[in-house]
Amino acid sequence: MHLGVIGCGVVGLTTALELQETFPNAKITILADRFNEDTTSYVAAGIFRPGTSFMGPSQEITKQWIADAFHYWDDIRRSKEAALAGVCQLSGYIFSSTSPTIVRNHFIEHLLPVYRRATEDELKLCQGDWKYGSFFTTCVTESRLFLPYAAKKFTNAGGIITYHHVDALTQISDSYDVVVNCSGFGAKELCIDHHLVPIRGQVIKVRAPWIKMAFYGDYDTYIIPGFEAVTLGGSRQFDSYQTEICPYDSMAIKKRCYDMLPSLKKAKVIREMVGLRPHRAVVRVEAEFLTKQNGKKLKIVHNYGHGGYGVTTAPGTAKYAVKLVRDLFTCNSKL
């Protein structure tokens, strides 16, 4: 059995690892032309906090993806390899001056070990006229560490990672029994998917070791500490293809974050980064049969469209995608 995975970001790698666990005797190859710092995953702050608008094909499946993903990250966090994998526990606050619904999250209120209303004293922790707030404890995954960790784990178990740009799904080699498409925003052209749109994100990485907790505020403002740096954000620009650093976005991010925590003004900026989040109103995790140019059928399972929640939900959608792969083989055996 030969299985292929397109893409080597967090979605592709977690999918490849899940395939190895489910099909230990299979030959599994990752095809990708972007790795580590060239992936959108690398830009992400990596905190486990799915947005309330995140959507799979049904409410039940969406909740299962999120629950499976959290337990995956939390299991690594509890393991001896946590530091190597770049996964740790993190607590934080989300504040709002406009609406109590902003600080609520129906996906994780009963999933995380702690998720409660912030006290009146806690609302004063950050500068601002905060009227509503929640405190939560979750996991954070630093892709700078996790991506090479996962790639090494995959290759140590016999997996193959090869540099290859896939121009068209129908041109993929006949040697693959099933291919899992984790190409992220690349799926827009690869699948001619008009439902996939970029949501541009820009962040600033700063050195501020005194920041030990995460803080969220209105207008997509966030301050998230990681292993190496603190991520300041953000921006969420729908259908924007701009990959260059925008100085005006930088100024806006700094102002909002500095207004919340003035001590950040003395933090040294390490780098600024931009990523195009591959957003799809309904994340696409489904099987498809394509007819290739030579007339043969290609069995493919798509796994893309996570938007800004790729790191958060990747292990959950990976588990579901691999179930679809298994179902394809079960269907074949019955035929």
Side-chain angles (χ1 to χ4, degrees):
M1 187 188 302
H2 191 187
L3 307 175
V5 176
I6 303 173
C8 202
V10 68
V11 177
L13 283 168
T14 52
T15 299
L17 290 171
E18 187 69 25
L19 284 170
Q20 281 185 328
E21 187 171 331
T22 305
F23 305 101
N25 297 320
K27 177 183 178 182
I28 303 173
T29 302
I30 293 177
L31 307 171
D33 58 4
R34 294 188 178 187
F35 304 90
N36 296 323
E37 63 269 14
D38 292 328
T39 65
T40 302
S41 306
Y42 202 84
V43 182
I47 191 169
F48 181 87
R49 184 180 168 269
T52 54
S53 62
F54 180 80
M55 189 186 304
S58 72
Q59 181 87 343
E60 182 182 3
I61 291 173
T62 305
K63 288 183 175 180
Q64 190 63 57
W65 287 353
I66 291 170
D68 287 343
F70 175 72
H71 294 306
Y72 177 92
W73 295 126
D74 199 47
D75 285 346
I76 294 179
R77 193 268 303 176
R78 295 169 183 271
S79 74
K80 294 179 180 179
E81 296 188 323
L84 185 65
V87 183
C88 67
Q89 192 172 72
L90 180 69
S91 293
Y93 292 92
I94 175 169
F95 297 131
S96 176
S97 59
T98 58
S99 172
T101 60
I102 293 175
V103 303
R104 298 288 301 274
N105 190 313
H106 64 282
F107 283 135
I108 57 178
E109 282 181 328
H110 304 292
L111 176 63
L112 299 184
V114 179
Y115 200 108
R116 61 167 175 78
R117 180 183 299 178
T119 66
E120 289 298 322
D121 287 339
E122 288 173 324
L123 290 175
K124 301 173 185 176
L125 287 172
C126 290
Q127 289 193 4
D129 183 26
W130 307 117
K131 295 181 175 65
Y132 315 101
S134 293
F135 172 82
F136 58 94
T137 297
T138 186
C139 293
V140 65
T141 301
E142 187 156 319
S143 293
R144 178 183 64 90
L145 299 172
F146 179 76
L147 294 179
Y149 160 83
K152 184 176 181 181
K153 184 176 180 181
F154 174 70
T155 54
N156 284 349
I160 301 166
I161 299 177
T162 181
Y163 181 91
H164 181 77
H165 178 75
V166 179
D167 294 310
L169 295 176
T170 53
Q171 294 176 3
I172 290 177
S173 168
D174 292 336
S175 66
Y176 295 101
D177 295 290
V178 178
V179 172
V180 186
N181 174 26
C182 306
S183 56
F185 190 61
K188 186 169 184 65
E189 293 186 8
L190 202 58
C191 302
I192 315 176
D193 190 339
H194 302 297
H195 298 289
L196 188 65
V197 296
I199 296 183
R200 180 184 180 275
Q202 181 170 319
V203 298
I204 304 171
K205 304 282 185 176
V206 302
R207 199 173 301 283
W210 60 90
I211 304 297
K212 305 295 184 183
M213 303 183 74
F215 295 93
Y216 284 84
D218 292 325
Y219 311 113
D220 201 33
T221 303
Y222 53 84
I223 301 162
I224 304 173
F227 281 70
E228 177 198 32
V230 177
T231 301
L232 308 183
S235 60
R236 196 173 295 270
Q237 297 157 358
F238 188 83
D239 212 13
S240 171
Y241 290 78
Q242 174 60 265
T243 58
E244 300 298 319
I245 300 295
C246 174
Y248 302 105
D249 287 336
S250 297
M251 291 168 60
I253 290 168
K254 287 178 181 178
K255 184 181 187 310
R256 297 198 309 272
C257 292
Y258 292 173
D259 284 350
M260 286 189 74
L261 293 179
S263 68
L264 286 169
K265 293 178 182 179
K266 63 182 180 181
K268 180 182 178 181
V269 174
I270 301 173
R271 58 184 172 272
E272 298 186 57
M273 308 172 76
V274 172
L276 302 182
R277 307 173 178 105
H279 171 75
R280 207 170 183 274
V282 177
V283 182
R284 190 182 188 191
V285 190
E286 61 183 13
E288 183 180 17
F289 292 86
L290 296 177
T291 301
K292 301 178 66 174
Q293 294 175 337
N294 58 11
K296 293 186 177 181
K297 294 288 186 181
L298 171 67
K299 302 183 188 72
I300 188 161
V301 172
H302 298 287
N303 184 10
Y304 66 84
H306 300 65
Y309 309 108
V311 177
T312 288
T313 60
T317 63
K319 193 178 185 72
Y320 188 82
V322 172
K323 178 183 178 298
L324 296 181
V325 173
R326 189 171 62 243
D327 289 347
L328 288 176
F329 287 114
T330 301
C331 179
N332 276 356
S333 64
K334 289 181 179 179
L335 293 174

